[in-house]
């Protein structure tokens, strides 16, 4: 697809920010093992990238999904941890957009604007690929629900001011006994557990979030009682296209770094870019990247058109993340021994790319979703 003028302008503005602020500065934070708050402050306060799915009527930019995904690629090209932090806000927001009332949306966006970060609390030690295996409970008590349970691997868990949480409201009904809630961070009983020490995506905050007898008013229930699983599945259908865009961002960065290196690295008396063996690696990377980019843009177009997109979003996620992994590894190969060293960004791209094949549903789960759609269709 061809992007419209407005999207191209936005993309160029974000690309400039990525080239000037993220690419030169993010590695310093990664090295010090520090959250990149100053970069994120510019992204949120000056660039308006805090919650790109925020509708205009609630103070947001009201971007199309195609524009949103295009910007996701750009930011991930700079740093996946920063991209995951910013877009973790959207992942947490989708259940509110899907099922929230106007009052709930106002509460959500007011809090998000003030506190900057939100988190989506689905995963638990026994509920990973089996999202329906959630054990956190929400029990009615007068005008409230009381929430008990521990969520793990939560992106933005330790920095969020507000959460969307999936909990069991009818233990006899399996996935049809789960409900989604809004929970503010400052409610009594909410605390942060272990912070994860991850292989990659180091600039993203990932923690346990513990709910210990947390009392929330009944008006914090999102949508209908016991209908939370569908809300969460629809959230993931939507967000997975974004993971595809992240993958394209990482792959694109790998291609740019490998091509620049190949042009200046001299062996056998000439730049290695002159050798067909190297050229073919770069060309194959470009082929994969363009296909993966079109896959996420197509999913975005379908979402914008109000057409079904579950399968296309899963395809975009799978293709984008597999492309990131392949291009990061192949790009590193072009740099040879230097690619293996921390002085060059390729080893970081390899570490970052891996999570994309795992989070928001492993690529094995995606293939199950795609196959399910095919079996229904034909
Ligand atoms: N949209 C709307 N409804 C959906 C849906 C979707 N994408 N997927 C499932 N449902 C509904 C089904 O229609 C079914 O409802 P009915 O019985 O009323 O028809 C119900 O939910 C249960 O569906 P299903 O039997 O397919 O659920 P499973 O427990 O088998 O789980 C998968 C389905 C594996 C797709 C789901 O658990 C999943 O996505 N797992 C990965 C989770 C994940 O991404 N975790 C990472 C989170 S990191 S942020």
């Amino acid at each position: 697809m061809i992007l419209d003028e407005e999207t191209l302008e936005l993309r160029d503005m974000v690309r400039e920010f990525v080239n000037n602020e993220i690419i030169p500065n993010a590695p310093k934070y990664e090295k010090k093992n520090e959250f990149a708050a100053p970069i994120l402050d510019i992204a949120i306060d000056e660039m308006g990238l805090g919650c790109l799915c925020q509708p205009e009527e609630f103070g947001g930019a009201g971007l199309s999904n195609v524009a949103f995904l295009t910007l996701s690629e750009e930011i991930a090209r700079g740093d996946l941890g920063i991209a995951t932090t910013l877009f973790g806000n959207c992942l947490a927001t989708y259940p509110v957009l899907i099922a929230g009332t106007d009052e709930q949306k106002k509460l959500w966006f007011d809090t998000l604007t003030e506190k900057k970060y939100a988190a989506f609390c689905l995963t638990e030690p026994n509920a990973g690929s089996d999202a329906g295996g959630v054990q956190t409970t929400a029990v009615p008590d007068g005008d409230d629900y009381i929430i008990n349970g521990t969520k793990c691997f939560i992106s933005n868990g330790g920095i969020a001011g507000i959460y969307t949480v999936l909990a069991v409201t009818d233990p006899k009904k399996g996935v049809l006994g789960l409900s989604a809630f809004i929970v503010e961070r400052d409610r009594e009983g909410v605390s942060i557990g272990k912070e994860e020490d991850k292989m990659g995506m180091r600039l993203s905050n990932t923690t346990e979030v513990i709910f210990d007898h947390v009392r929330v008013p009944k008006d914090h229930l999102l949508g209908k009682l016991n209908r939370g699983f569908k809300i969460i599945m629809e959230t993931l259908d939507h967000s997975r296209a974004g993971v595809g865009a992240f993958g394209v961002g990482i792959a694109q960065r790998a291609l740019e770094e490998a091509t620049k290196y190949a042009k200046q690295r001299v062996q056998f008396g000439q730049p290695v870019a002159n050798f067909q063996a190297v050229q073919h690696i770069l060309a194959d990377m470009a082929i994969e990247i363009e296909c993966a980019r079109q896959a996420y843009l197509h999913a975005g177009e379908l979402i914008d058109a109000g057409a079904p997109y579950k399968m296309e979003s899963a395809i975009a996620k799978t293709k984008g993340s597999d492309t990131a992994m392949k291009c990061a590894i192949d790009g590193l190969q072009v740099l040879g021994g230097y690619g293996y060293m921390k002085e060059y960004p390729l080893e970081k791209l390899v570490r970052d790319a891996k999570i994309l094949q795992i989070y928001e549903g492993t690529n094995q789960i995606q293939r199950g979703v795609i196959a399910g759609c095919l079996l229904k269709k034909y």
Side-chain angles (χ1 to χ4, degrees):
M1 83 173 284
I2 298 171
L3 298 176
D4 62 27
E5 277 300 310
E6 201 188 340
T7 306
L8 287 172
E9 263 176 43
L10 271 173
R11 185 197 65 185
D12 290 347
M13 191 182 80
V14 170
R15 188 172 287 175
E16 203 182 312
F17 165 67
V18 167
N19 289 342
N20 295 340
E21 295 290 340
I22 300 186
I23 291 180
N25 296 318
K28 296 178 210 160
Y29 291 95
E30 177 143 351
K31 215 170 184 175
K32 287 189 284 182
N33 205 17
E34 224 177 82
F35 187 65
I39 302 179
L40 283 153
D41 285 348
I42 303 174
I44 296 170
D45 301 336
E46 294 176 28
M47 302 289 298
L49 302 173
C51 186
L52 287 177
C53 64
Q54 193 163 340
E56 249 174 330
E57 63 267 37
F58 292 95
L63 290 184
S64 70
N65 282 280
V66 164
F68 168 88
L69 292 167
T70 301
L71 301 189
S72 304
E73 176 192 327
E74 289 305 319
I75 299 172
R77 180 179 148 272
D79 184 90
L80 182 68
I82 289 177
T84 297
T85 306
L86 293 171
F87 296 101
N89 282 352
C90 290
L91 176 63
T93 297
Y94 287 140
V96 182
L97 292 177
I98 290 167
T101 61
D102 278 354
E103 288 75 33
Q104 288 173 329
K105 288 178 190 165
K106 189 173 175 338
L107 164 78
W108 182 265
F109 288 115
D110 284 353
T111 312
L112 184 54
T113 305
E114 189 197 335
K115 310 270 180 168
K116 287 195 175 179
Y117 301 108
F120 176 71
C121 296
L122 164 63
T123 303
E124 296 182 9
N126 293 316
S129 290
D130 181 9
V134 159
Q135 289 169 342
T136 293
T137 54
V139 176
D141 184 56
D143 290 337
D144 302 325
Y145 281 97
I146 297 179
I147 301 183
N148 273 298
T150 297
K151 300 286 181 177
C152 67
F153 300 165
I154 303 301
S155 298
N156 292 351
I159 55 172
I162 195 159
Y163 303 99
T164 37
V165 180
L166 189 67
V168 179
T169 37
D170 188 339
K172 293 188 290 296
K173 289 194 181 153
V175 295
L176 295 178
L178 299 171
S179 303
F181 295 88
I182 294 176
V183 182
E184 297 92 335
R185 167 71 181 90
D186 51 19
R187 285 197 178 271
E188 208 180 321
V190 180
S191 64
I192 310 306
K194 177 181 168 213
E195 179 171 352
E196 300 297 340
D197 186 9
K198 304 185 296 294
M199 165 181 171
M201 203 177 57
R202 305 272 309 170
L203 295 188
S204 158
N205 169 270
T206 313
T207 68
E208 282 180 334
V209 181
I210 300 156
F211 300 94
D212 183 11
H213 290 86
V214 178
R215 193 173 271 279
V216 292
K218 281 197 168 153
D219 64 8
H220 280 38
L221 169 73
L222 284 166
K224 291 199 178 116
L225 186 65
N226 297 329
R227 289 293 175 268
F229 191 70
K230 281 196 186 210
I231 298 169
I232 297 308
M233 287 297 113
E234 284 173 25
T235 293
L236 291 171
D237 286 343
H238 197 149
S239 70
R240 284 169 180 161
V243 178
F246 285 176
V248 176
I250 288 188
Q252 175 68 32
R253 176 83 181 282
L255 177 64
E256 290 172 20
E257 298 287 348
T259 308
K260 277 190 266 175
Y261 180 88
K263 283 165 74 178
Q264 56 87 22
R265 169 70 171 167
V266 174
Q267 289 289 273
F268 304 103
Q270 53 185 312
V272 297
N274 288 354
F275 299 122
Q276 203 178 46
V278 171
Q279 290 177 2
H280 283 192
I281 296 177
L282 299 175
D284 282 338
M285 287 166 75
I287 293 167
E288 293 299 315
I289 290 169
E290 203 44 49
C291 293
R293 183 175 287 126
Q294 293 307 320
Y296 84 66
L297 287 172
H298 181 52
E301 256 183 322
L302 292 173
I303 302 173
D304 285 334
Y309 58 85
K310 176 176 169 173
M311 182 171 87
E312 290 75 6
S313 191
I315 289 174
K317 195 270 183 190
T318 311
K319 183 70 190 164
S321 55
D322 287 349
T323 298
M325 201 63 236
K326 179 164 171 36
C327 289
I329 290 276
D330 289 354
L332 189 153
Q333 186 71 16
V334 171
L335 271 74
Y338 289 102
Y340 200 69
M341 304 303 158
K342 283 195 182 282
E343 195 183 335
Y344 288 86
L346 272 299
E347 66 83 33
K348 171 199 155 55
L349 295 178
V350 170
R351 287 186 289 105
D352 284 358
K354 186 60 207 165
I355 190 62
L356 301 177
Q357 294 179 313
I358 300 170
Y359 74 2
E360 294 193 41
T362 64
N363 284 5
Q364 288 69 30
I365 288 288
Q366 304 310 312
R367 287 179 168 90
V369 169
I370 295 163
C373 293
L374 292 174
L375 296 177
K376 252 190 201 154
K377 193 168 173 189
Y378 300 111

